């Protein structure tokens, strides 16, 4: 059986690692020209089954390195006003581990060189009369596989062809995300797992990405064959901005410097430590743009083409997307192993995967919607 995974994000790479381990022929095709080709980094929190699924796709020998590049996610969450007066504290929802997406992606790529090809953007696919699938790429090349897995993220080209009815909606809110090198001054802003600055209509979420060890140094000692980027601990910030404050968000999407200028203007009356966050931000790792969401994706008529991760359950940032992508990879791999062993039929196995995956993903997406509803409630309460 030949499996073709479209997209070398967290989900696609974790699936590919598992399939290779199981001796299944798998190739990954990625649109970007290289792993470094654009802003790829922010912190993600993994816990429970998501973290277990990530660990399960890595060989035992890389687990000490995985631990070293993680950071603790503990302590109280705090809500403050724009002058840093404490408004309240909430216990942590989950204990877990923080990772930087970019560093993690490098780790997941380790040893996959001959299976992952960059600069291969899928254009479309065609089901063949023998049950296989032919995939066409933007460079004019084609490949044939028994199963195609669209792990190509929120804007998935595979999903648009497979389930054209799924609509991605723009929310009435813009998200700005970025990072600032972690100093003692900025670490003091986040004594626990997260701090939320609640302004009249804006919310700013702060979280540390405190690597247990500098990733390059940890790799040199624990797994010298693995190359990790030289990323240092940082403070991650995400600002939720009502659309009326940033109606040119679409133009700002590709212009981090202009995006930062907008943020500096929005916080000009705030506490100096908060203003300094944006003055000292790493512009190359910051961005702004409209937030997008979709209705829950329901099971679709099963084909030899399936979906995984954000492609299957598009969600706005900050939710459980990476956790779900790793869980999808584990479940889908189990199903494909059963097909390869001859104990399950391909279409029945994929149908079962899609049924289960759509179920748990819908719950998670509901959680994300509730989160945004609670921000709206807060905003309206303050307007009253
Ligand atoms: C700011 C922010 C914070 C987040 N925090 C968390 C968190 O704390 N916890 C959590 O669980 N999740 C979090 N998430 C969500 C999480 O990052 C995503 O859900 C996860 O990365 C999805 O992985 P994926 O593999 O499905 O997709 P992606 O990582 O988006 O990968 C898709 C890949 O497919 C490639 N691709 C796209 N189109 C094509 C094509 N046509 N042909 C070939 N390749 C293509 C893309 O270039 C990309 O490399 C956060 C997201 C953001 C933005």
């Amino acid at each position: 059986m030949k499996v073709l995974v479209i997209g070398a994000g967290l989900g696609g790479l974790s699936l590919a690692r598992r399939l290779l381990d199981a001796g299944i022929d798998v190739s990954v095709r990625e649109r970007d020209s290289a792993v470094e080709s654009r802003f790829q980094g922010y912190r993600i929190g993994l816990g429970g089954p998501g973290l277990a699924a990530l660990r399960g796709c890595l060989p035992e020998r890389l687990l000490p390195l995985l631990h070293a590049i993680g950071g603790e996610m503990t302590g109280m969450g705090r809500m403050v006003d724009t002058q840093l007066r404490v408004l309240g504290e909430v216990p942590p929802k989950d204990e877990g581990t923080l990772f930087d997406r970019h560093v993690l992606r490098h780790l997941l790529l380790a040893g996959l060189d001959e299976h992952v090809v960059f600069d291969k953007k899928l254009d479309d696919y065609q089901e063949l009369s023998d049950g296989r699938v032919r995939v066409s790429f933007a460079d004019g090349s084609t490949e044939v596989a028994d199963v195609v897995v669209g792990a190509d993220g929120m804007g998935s080209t595979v999903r648009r062809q497979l389930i054209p009815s799924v609509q991605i909606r723009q929310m009435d809110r813009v998200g700005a995300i970025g990072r600032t090198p972690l100093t003692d001054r900025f670490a003091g802003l986040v004594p626990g797992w997260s701090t939320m600055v609640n302004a009249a209509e804006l919310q700013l979420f702060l979280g540390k990405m405190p690597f247990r060890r500098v990733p390059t140094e940890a790799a040199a000692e624990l797994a010298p064959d693995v190359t990790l980027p030289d990323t240092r601990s940082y403070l991650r910030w995400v600002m939720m901005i009502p659309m009326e404050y940033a109606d040119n968000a679409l133009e700002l999407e590709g212009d981090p410097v202009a995006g930062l200028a907008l943020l500096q203007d929005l916080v000009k009356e705030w506490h100096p430590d908060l203003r300094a966050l944006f003055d000292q931000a790493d512009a190359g790792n910051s961005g702004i743009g409209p937030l997008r969401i979709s209705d829950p994706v329901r099971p679709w008529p099963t084909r030899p083409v399936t979906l995984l991760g954000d492609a299957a359950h598009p969600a706005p940032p900050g939710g459980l997307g990476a956790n779900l992508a790793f869980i999808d990879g584990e479940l889908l791999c189990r199903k494909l192993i059963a097909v390869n062993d001859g104990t399950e039929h391909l279409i029945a196995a994929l149908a079962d995967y899609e049924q289960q995956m759509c179920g748990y993903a819908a719950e998670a997406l509901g959680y994300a919607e509730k989160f945004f509803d609670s921000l709206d409630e807060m905003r309206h309460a303050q307007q009253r």
Side-chain angles (χ1 to χ4, degrees):
M1 179 170 62
K2 179 170 171 47
V3 181
L4 190 59
V5 178
I6 306 300
L10 300 180
L13 291 175
S14 73
L15 173 68
R17 295 198 75 93
R18 285 176 177 278
L19 292 173
L20 276 174
D21 253 11
I24 294 177
D25 180 5
V26 58
S27 308
V28 182
R29 302 294 177 247
E30 164 59 46
R31 164 189 70 179
D32 287 348
S33 57
V35 64
E36 308 285 355
S37 67
R38 64 191 165 94
F39 161 53
Q40 303 273 4
Y42 42 83
R43 80 165 198 177
I44 53 175
L46 299 177
L51 182 55
L54 166 63
R55 289 172 57 87
C57 81
L58 289 168
E60 194 84 4
R61 72 173 189 93
L62 291 183
L63 295 183
L65 180 55
L66 179 70
H67 179 79
I69 60 166
E72 305 293 336
M73 186 165 85
T74 53
M76 300 291 277
R78 177 177 273 196
M79 193 195 285
V80 297
D81 68 12
T82 58
Q83 301 309 316
L84 296 181
R85 287 178 292 247
V86 177
L87 302 173
E89 290 200 317
V90 280
K93 276 195 282 291
D94 300 301
E95 300 278 308
T97 304
L98 299 166
F99 292 96
D100 174 78
R101 177 181 178 271
H102 188 46
V103 174
L104 195 51
R105 197 164 171 237
H106 274 261
L107 181 62
L108 288 169
L109 273 164
L112 290 190
D113 301 2
E114 60 183 273
H115 302 278
V116 182
V117 178
F118 285 85
D119 224 350
K120 276 276 175 196
K121 178 175 178 290
L122 170 128
D123 268 352
D124 56 23
Y125 64 82
Q126 186 190 359
E127 288 185 41
L128 303 176
S129 53
D130 63 4
R132 295 184 303 158
V133 184
R134 181 166 52 223
V135 166
S136 304
F137 295 99
D139 61 7
S141 63
T142 60
E143 283 183 61
V144 174
D146 298 294
V147 186
V148 171
V149 181
D152 50 344
M154 179 135 187
S156 172
T157 306
V158 178
R159 187 195 59 239
R160 280 206 300 271
Q161 184 171 346
L162 183 65
I163 341 176
S165 57
V166 173
Q167 296 294 321
I168 303 288
R169 288 178 275 123
Q170 202 163 295
M171 302 176 77
D172 61 351
R173 203 178 255 109
V174 171
I177 174 164
R179 65 164 77 157
T180 306
L182 192 62
T183 57
D184 289 346
R185 179 187 192 188
F186 295 138
L189 293 171
V190 192
W193 65 280
S194 174
T195 294
M196 173 185 169
V197 182
N198 194 16
E201 299 204 305
L202 309 170
Q203 289 90 25
L204 174 67
F205 296 87
L206 306 177
K208 287 177 288 201
M209 177 60 242
F211 293 106
R212 290 191 180 100
R213 295 194 53 193
V214 174
T216 44
E217 291 171 9
E221 186 189 313
L222 298 169
D225 56 312
V226 176
T227 306
L228 297 181
D230 189 15
T231 306
R232 303 297 168 115
S233 294
Y234 57 85
L235 194 136
R236 183 277 284 135
W237 40 263
V238 176
M239 193 187 280
M240 302 290 177
I241 309 167
M243 196 57 103
E244 58 267 30
Y245 284 74
D247 50 8
N248 59 342
L250 276 176
E251 292 154 37
L252 294 179
E253 217 166 359
D255 188 348
V257 174
L260 270 177
L262 170 73
L263 300 181
Q264 284 168 318
D265 187 51
L266 289 173
V267 304
K268 61 179 186 282
E269 308 289 333
W270 293 20
H271 189 282
D273 287 356
L274 294 171
R275 295 204 310 265
L277 260 186
F278 299 102
D279 295 341
Q280 295 175 32
D282 171 358
N285 279 298
S286 304
I288 188 167
L291 295 174
R292 299 183 174 93
I293 197 167
S294 84
D295 292 326
V297 175
R298 304 198 190 290
W300 56 90
T302 300
R303 314 300 316 160
V305 177
T306 192
L307 300 171
L308 167 154
D310 279 5
H313 30 76
L320 297 168
N323 283 273
L324 291 174
F326 291 129
I327 293 169
D328 295 349
E330 184 178 22
L331 177 59
L332 180 54
C333 181
R334 267 209 313 274
K335 289 286 161 191
L336 292 175
I337 289 174
V339 175
N340 202 44
D341 290 349
T343 51
E344 283 194 50
H345 180 265
L346 176 65
I347 296 299
L350 291 182
D352 190 27
Y353 159 72
E354 288 158 5
Q355 185 78 32
Q356 290 190 47
M357 180 267 292
C358 287
Y360 58 67
E363 262 180 51
L365 196 64
Y367 163 83
E369 289 226 33
K370 274 193 210 122
F371 167 74
F372 283 101
D373 288 349
S374 71
L375 293 187
D376 276 340
E377 275 164 29
M378 242 185 283
R379 187 177 157 198
H380 294 140
Q382 287 191 330
Q383 283 167 344
R384 284 197 289 271

